[in-house]
Amino acid sequence: MKDHLEETEFGRFEHPQMTASGEARASVALTDPETLWFNTGTLCNITCQNCYIESSPTNDRLVYLTSAEVADFLDQLEDRNWGVREIGFTGGEPFMNPEMVDLARLALKRGYEVLILTNAMRPMLRPSVKSGLIAINATHPGKLTLRISVDHWSAELHDKERGQGAFARTLQGMDWLRDNGIRMTVAGRTMWHETEAEARAGYAALYAKRGYDIDAAHPGQTVLFPELDEAAPVPEITTGCWSILNKDPRDVMCSSSRMVVKRKGAERPAVLACTLLPYDPQFELGATLAEAEKPVHLNHPHCAKFCVLGGASCSA
């Protein structure tokens, strides 16, 4: 990992197996699969300033997954014997997908824990969705978790990212989840020029005020993600970085997870290496879980900043 890169015929993050300095690029093998993610579609009820995958009310580059498609991959999980414990659903806003409750029910019936990433706003609060969540939570107690996007513990900064009034509407959804005994965690961001301790103290005060059973100090219950800026300078990760950073490649997200998406116009879903890189073709591994067992070369700034240097993970 060099600060001053030697000149080569290609630039930074251009060659899949070699850095711009001519060193071997680090790769990560799928060693301990814990989570299979499904992107239920990139449509969202709001447009955020810095959405990780550009979700919006008009972005349908990833279309809705169906129950039949999810069931097929759950079958593949059993065939491949990956040992996955958790099925994650992300978007977009997952509850925009009309089959979201059914998708969660499918995974729960197979014995998996289910994690749904949501803004807890109007799509989640439709009567049919609320009744469905209550039913599956009662049938599978302790197996369903909704991770709520709360970018900051204050209305001012959260709304700066998500729009005026978004904080209040999300708290309305969280209040409903609290009152119905549905487990919640929170995902925030570390882009506000405050220390982690200050951020967690702010979330702790919010949870206490509203009676949310969420631990602000627990990194799996209050997940704080680094901001992703592809233009920001970050080092490329070489094979030598593991020992320099005292980092184990098994700690990186692509060693334990894959994500299924369906592109607009595609005949069938595809399996990706990462939840954060849905549009980069080099991270599309194939159409089946068997094809997706290949190692992943860390050829993107997100790999360095978010996963290796930031130590973040989307799983619970």
Side-chain angles (χ1 to χ4, degrees):
M1 203 165 47
K2 299 182 179 180
D3 293 329
H4 303 287
L5 300 178
E6 301 168 6
E7 186 175 350
T8 62
E9 69 275 14
F10 45 81
R12 290 158 53 81
F13 298 105
E14 288 186 2
H15 191 284
Q17 298 181 18
M18 188 174 295
T19 69
S21 64
E23 299 173 89
R25 186 179 303 284
S27 64
V28 173
L30 183 70
T31 55
D32 184 22
E34 293 185 353
T35 305
L36 180 62
W37 288 93
F38 291 94
N39 188 299
T40 62
T42 41
L43 286 174
C44 187
N45 55 303
I46 59 174
T47 302
C48 298
Q49 291 294 318
N50 297 286
C51 179
Y52 294 144
I53 62 169
E54 304 168 11
S55 299
S56 76
T58 58
N59 180 6
D60 62 351
R61 292 170 69 182
L62 302 182
V63 298
Y64 293 152
L65 285 172
T66 67
S67 296
E69 289 164 341
V70 169
D72 175 62
F73 279 95
L74 296 181
D75 289 342
Q76 291 183 48
L77 270 183
E78 295 176 9
D79 292 341
R80 303 304 300 173
N81 195 29
W82 276 16
V84 158
R85 64 170 180 83
E86 174 187 64
I87 302 298
F89 295 99
T90 184
E93 168 51 50
F95 290 108
M96 296 280 285
N97 186 318
E99 294 190 63
M100 184 59 251
V101 172
D102 290 334
L103 303 183
R105 183 181 289 111
L106 273 174
L108 290 164
K109 283 184 174 180
R110 300 284 188 105
Y112 298 106
E113 298 175 30
V114 166
L115 176 65
I116 304 174
L117 278 53
T118 177
N119 56 39
M121 295 169 74
R122 182 174 295 177
M124 190 197 77
L125 293 176
R126 299 196 308 272
S128 61
V129 173
K130 291 196 293 185
S131 62
L133 287 174
I134 290 171
I136 60 175
N137 188 58
T139 305
H140 304 279
K143 295 293 187 180
L144 173 67
T145 302
L146 273 61
R147 181 187 289 166
I148 317 302
S149 298
V150 184
D151 289 321
H152 193 261
W153 47 266
S154 72
E156 177 187 3
L157 293 181
H158 179 90
D159 285 359
K160 184 177 180 180
E161 171 69 19
R162 294 184 175 254
Q164 188 65 34
F167 189 73
R169 293 194 295 275
T170 288
L171 292 186
Q172 179 186 359
M174 294 178 73
D175 288 350
W176 180 84
L177 293 167
R178 175 201 64 202
D179 294 344
N180 286 277
I182 297 174
R183 178 185 295 168
M184 290 184 288
T185 60
V186 158
R189 302 201 191 197
T190 58
M191 57 185 284
W192 311 109
H193 306 292
E194 63 187 359
T195 66
E196 180 175 337
E198 290 170 338
R200 294 193 182 278
Y203 282 107
L206 173 66
Y207 303 158
K209 180 180 179 180
R210 304 194 73 91
Y212 298 154
D213 185 16
I214 306 171
D215 186 347
H218 193 294
Q221 293 192 35
T222 302
V223 189
L224 298 180
F225 290 123
E227 188 60 13
L228 299 183
D229 180 359
E230 293 189 27
V234 293
E236 296 184 282
I237 305 300
T238 71
T239 54
C241 286
W242 301 122
S243 59
I244 294 170
L245 297 170
N246 194 27
K247 185 86 174 183
D248 191 323
R250 290 174 296 183
D251 295 333
V252 179
M253 191 161 55
C254 51
S255 74
S256 61
S257 68
R258 293 291 187 263
M259 182 171 77
V260 177
V261 307
K262 189 173 184 181
R263 304 193 187 283
K264 187 176 183 179
E267 291 186 5
R268 60 184 302 184
V271 188
L272 310 186
C274 179
T275 61
L276 301 174
L277 297 168
Y279 308 125
D280 191 329
Q282 69 179 314
F283 293 95
E284 184 167 321
L285 303 177
T288 66
L289 296 187
E291 293 173 297
E293 291 173 351
K294 65 188 75 169
V296 178
H297 284 88
L298 303 183
N299 190 29
H300 196 281
H302 289 357
C303 303
K305 184 172 184 180
F306 190 87
C307 294
V308 176
L309 300 176
S313 174
C314 290
S315 298

